[in-house]
Amino acid sequence: MNIVILAAGQGKRMHSHLPKVLHPLAGKPLVSHVIGTARHLLPERLCLVYGHGGDAVRASLDAPDLAWAQQEPQLGTGHAVMQALPHLAQEVPTLILYGDVPLIRAETLNGLLHAAQEGLAILTVKLADPAGYGRIVRDAAGGVARIVEQKDATAAERQICEVNTGIMALPTARLGEWLGRLSNDNAQQEYYLTDVIGLAVAAGVTIRTVHPQSDWEVLGVNSKVQLAELERIAQRLNATRLMEQGVRLADPARLDVRGGLECGRDVFIDVNCVFEGKVVLEEAAEVGPHCVLKNARIGAGARINAFSHIEDAVVGPDSVIGPFARLRPGTELGAGVHVGNFVEIKNSRIAAKSKANHLAYIGDATVGSRVNVGAGTITCNYDGANKFRTIIGDDVFIGSDTQLVAPVVVGRGATLGAGTTLTRDAPPDTLTLSRARQISVAGWKRPEKLKK
Ligand code: UD1
Ligand code: CA
């Protein structure tokens, strides 16, 4: 089939500079959800009709398989599909989707395409409150006669609660012919795609209607209120999928996945965590409350404690991170690493069983195994112009409040005394310290307040 995605509408009610279809839902643009679903159906041609904010839309979608049809000015849905016609293969049917109806399921569309094999099929729903939608007008025998838009409908037609979702599948060659016959003689002075239904009926084409399994599939986004409603639905779907795969969620209503979250069995996620980009939680990993994980891999059995922030990082199996830890891009932790509160790590590799349990900054460092990084230790990796690496061998013990002024190497098994400012390499298996000698002044007296 051909697939046409209509996305030229202005989206005035979003009150935004961003074109409507680029507003993010579950971390990606609305229209990207539709494109993703469309690709599942393996269309021969995939065409996006764009208009408002066209350049921004083109620039932000990485879609080499997409044909772009500009609609300028926007004279209605029928006019929009007309712009796509030159891109469509004549011998296969055409499926119309909306760029602002992001949660439509591929299974539903397959059902619609199947129903269109004998002619034309429309996806419809019955709504308790059909206001605003085009109504499906049926003849005495119950067949579809036409679609009438709300603004053109009579009072009696407005009572009809079966509405047009806008999603339909049609025979392409006939579609071209019908579109050519549309007029804009209606309340909105637009070329309505919905008017092709009346023409198809007149031509004796079989018209079937199909319903989605759930009404949320056909919900559109016209405002930020609706966007937020759809976000909750999308997140509930994410949560359900994860739980069905064996993930335990403290509260499925307090989970936000803005990208792809892949989980092993027996993973546990506490409340109010945000997952962005591609995150992998391996078997039995646990994420405490209020954590943000972006493009991260968390090893099996690792525990991320409350309020930790992890981005572009890998955490080894059985490691314990946080609470209040920050792993910045380029952090790679081996197995059983402990990173405690107020520890920041950037662009560093830390091998198995090393610990930095309190208040430390480790940047541009390579740290061996079983290293103990004392509280208040920092790598001075930046001289104001350039960055340098710190290399710390296996089994090193770094006393509290140590500054490692990079570039510097700490040999394996070395011990650095507390308070050391290390500016030269420290030899292996040796105590190194830089510290003013402690003195005690005998007979010294505290000053007393002067008498006036
Ligand atoms: C349309 C249908 C209506 C249906 C409703 C479902 C028509 C005439 N009416 O109404 O029967 O119940 O959708 O939501 O088709 N678009 C363009 N170019 C245009 C106009 C619209 O690309 O010139 C795109 C929009 O970006 C949007 C979609 O088409 O994705 C629907 O447009 P919208 O204005 O929301 O249609 P409605 O008037 O609500
Ligand atoms: Ca609409």
Side-chain angles (χ1 to χ4, degrees):
M1 89 259 17
N2 306 296
I3 297 182
V4 176
I5 301 174
L6 301 186
Q10 280 217 347
K12 270 196 207 117
R13 279 178 286 160
M14 295 299 279
H15 300 291
S16 172
H17 289 299
L18 193 65
K20 176 160 82 176
V21 292
L22 293 185
H23 280 266
L25 178 80
K28 66 179 183 184
L30 288 170
V31 70
S32 297
H33 289 265
V34 183
I35 292 172
T37 306
R39 282 186 184 139
H40 262 289
L41 303 175
L42 305 173
E44 243 140 283
R45 306 282 167 79
L46 178 55
C47 179
L48 191 107
V49 181
Y50 71 101
H52 181 72
D55 292 337
V57 175
R58 288 187 81 143
S60 62
L61 297 178
D62 174 28
D65 55 339
L66 219 61
W68 295 83
Q70 191 173 17
Q71 187 201 16
E72 189 60 60
Q74 283 111 50
L75 303 178
T77 49
H79 179 255
V81 176
M82 256 183 256
Q83 315 310 307
L85 276 179
H87 297 285
L88 307 182
Q90 293 293 302
E91 63 286 358
V92 292
T94 294
L95 173 65
I96 309 290
L97 302 178
Y98 284 7
D100 55 3
V101 179
L103 298 180
I104 186 71
R105 292 161 59 242
E107 291 83 344
T108 301
L109 297 176
N110 271 324
L112 186 74
L113 286 160
H114 185 79
Q117 275 171 355
E118 302 150 35
L120 189 160
I122 313 166
L123 191 67
T124 72
V125 282
K126 286 186 177 140
L127 298 179
D129 176 14
Y133 290 91
R135 309 296 207 284
I136 306 294
V137 181
R138 291 182 181 269
D139 59 25
V144 174
R146 60 198 171 87
I147 298 176
V148 62
E149 291 305 298
Q150 158 104 10
K151 286 182 180 151
D152 301 290
T154 62
E157 285 166 340
R158 288 185 188 185
Q159 300 301 310
I160 299 172
C161 60
E162 186 183 8
V163 307
N164 171 33
T165 64
I167 294 173
M168 50 181 86
L170 321 93
T172 306
R174 308 296 293 272
L175 172 65
E177 173 200 323
W178 296 327
L179 289 174
R181 287 164 54 195
L182 292 183
S183 94
N184 65 349
D185 182 15
N186 53 50
Q188 304 182 73
Q189 294 186 318
E190 285 184 2
Y191 296 92
Y192 292 162
L193 175 61
T194 44
D195 283 350
V196 305
I197 303 305
L199 297 173
V201 170
V205 172
T206 306
I207 299 178
R208 293 182 58 189
T209 53
V210 169
H211 310 303
Q213 213 174 65
S214 316
D215 284 357
W216 50 254
E217 289 185 57
V218 297
L219 292 176
V221 174
N222 294 302
S223 68
K224 284 176 175 159
V225 172
Q226 289 171 339
L227 182 63
E229 285 165 3
L230 259 70
E231 180 73 26
R232 282 304 102 208
I233 293 168
Q235 294 304 343
R236 199 193 64 218
L237 294 170
N238 273 331
T240 304
R241 175 184 59 85
L242 289 166
M243 291 186 292
E244 280 170 358
Q245 290 167 4
V247 175
R248 188 162 65 92
L249 298 175
D251 182 358
R254 283 182 286 170
L255 170 78
D256 287 86
V257 180
R258 300 175 190 159
L261 173 59
E262 217 183 280
C263 293
R265 298 170 68 167
D266 293 317
V267 159
F268 171 65
I269 301 170
D270 214 323
V271 298
N272 293 337
C273 292
V274 178
F275 298 91
E276 292 180 65
K278 190 172 183 292
V279 175
V280 179
L281 304 177
E282 290 176 2
E283 186 148 331
E286 293 190 8
V287 182
H290 305 283
C291 291
V292 178
L293 278 71
K294 182 174 182 180
N295 299 321
R297 171 177 283 273
I298 309 301
R303 204 166 75 229
I304 312 300
N305 288 317
F307 299 103
S308 293
H309 192 284
I310 299 179
E311 180 176 359
D312 292 311
V314 178
V315 172
D318 300 315
S319 289
V320 182
I321 310 300
F324 299 102
R326 181 168 183 211
L327 306 184
R328 291 172 52 201
T331 297
E332 278 181 46
L333 308 182
V337 169
H338 287 199
V339 174
N341 42 226
F342 309 110
V343 173
E344 173 181 345
I345 303 176
K346 183 213 77 168
N347 191 30
S348 294
R349 300 177 70 151
I350 300 183
K353 294 195 166 134
S354 287
K355 293 178 182 169
N357 273 333
H358 335 265
L359 300 151
Y361 172 60
I362 302 173
D364 302 312
T366 305
V367 180
S369 298
R370 298 171 302 278
V371 170
N372 196 310
V373 177
T377 295
I378 61 168
T379 53
C380 309
N381 57 325
Y382 184 50
D383 63 6
N386 297 297
K387 292 191 173 132
F388 301 96
R389 285 199 83 77
T390 298
I391 297 176
I392 300 169
D394 292 342
D395 299 297
V396 163
F397 182 95
I398 302 176
S400 298
D401 194 27
T402 295
Q403 300 95 53
L404 300 135
V405 183
V408 74
V409 177
V410 182
R412 68 182 301 150
T415 298
L416 303 185
T420 292
T421 301
L422 194 74
T423 51
R424 282 173 285 132
D425 293 354
D429 300 313
T430 306
L431 171 67
T432 298
L433 69 167
S434 74
R435 198 188 280 170
R437 258 183 206 287
Q438 180 170 321
I439 56 166
S440 300
V441 180
W444 179 82
K445 289 247 167 9
R446 283 189 193 169
E448 282 173 15
K449 216 168 179 91
L450 294 172
K451 290 193 181 84
K452 289 202 188 112

